[in-house]
Amino acid sequence: MNIEYNNESALLAGQAVTFHLQDGEIAHVLHPGQIIAFRGASSLRSDKLMNMKGMYRKRKLIRADIQGPCQFVASLPPSVTMKPIALTAGSDLLYDFKHLFFYTEGVQMETRILSMKNMMITRDAIKMKFSGEGHIGILTQGQVLELPLDPVEPIYVEAGSVIAYPENAKLELSVYGNHLASQHMRYQWKMTGRGHVLIQAGSGNRELERDLQNEDGIVKRFLREAIPFGGVFIK
């Protein structure tokens, strides 16, 4: 499989991604409504009902099974990108199924039920672990970074920015910094372990955009920053 990005730098205007499938390759596309062009024999696309688990997790009914040789173009909305990931032996990353855009034939999925503590942190009861040989495509908001974990030295990651983390990782809900810093930051995952954590850079924080457009006076801005939860109560 070969994936070609078009207008990769023009994320504000949306993005088109072209998939090239060779003879015998099969891609299972979980958002078939995003396919805007197809080149190949008509019989090479077959849409099917997802199983009940897939319907529940994706809030979708249909998936498209596309077989090579062919090529097709998928359209992604503004601010959304897709990161293809080649699965390797020993990978133990856990993903949220809602981020999955496609997977290829040969990829296996295993359900992982999280511990009660991790359920409270992630606000999700189930993650997916992918194994086998093939590729998956993960939908993200903005640039994706891969940060290494250490078994001893923790890394603090904003909870809403995490896409995937290793199954062996230890998670603690935390903040860091001095008293003022910990009052104003969003919740962080304090993570240790082996492997890498994937985070997305555009996870919905619009605070900077608001600040750049904000014309409030200095007193209101000071109160909003200095008072705990001032950003909530002082508009």
Side-chain angles (χ1 to χ4, degrees), residues 1 26-30 63 65 97 100-107 109 130 135-137:
M1 170 184 287
I26 300 176
H28 306 287
V29 181
L30 303 187
R63 80 177 192 206
D65 294 347
F97 193 75
L100 186 64
F101 184 73
F102 81 91
Y103 63 98
T104 59
E105 195 76 3
V107 171
M109 303 183 195
F130 298 102
H135 293 79
I136 61 175

Side-chain angles (χ1 to χ4, degrees), residues 9-10 14 26 28 33 47 51 56 68 72 76 79 96 114 132 137 142 155 157 227 232:
S9 61
I26 300 176
H28 306 287
D47 287 15
N51 59 29
Y56 173 76
F72 63 95
L76 301 179
S79 79
D96 192 330
L114 304 183
I155 182 173
V157 181
I227 298 175
V232 176

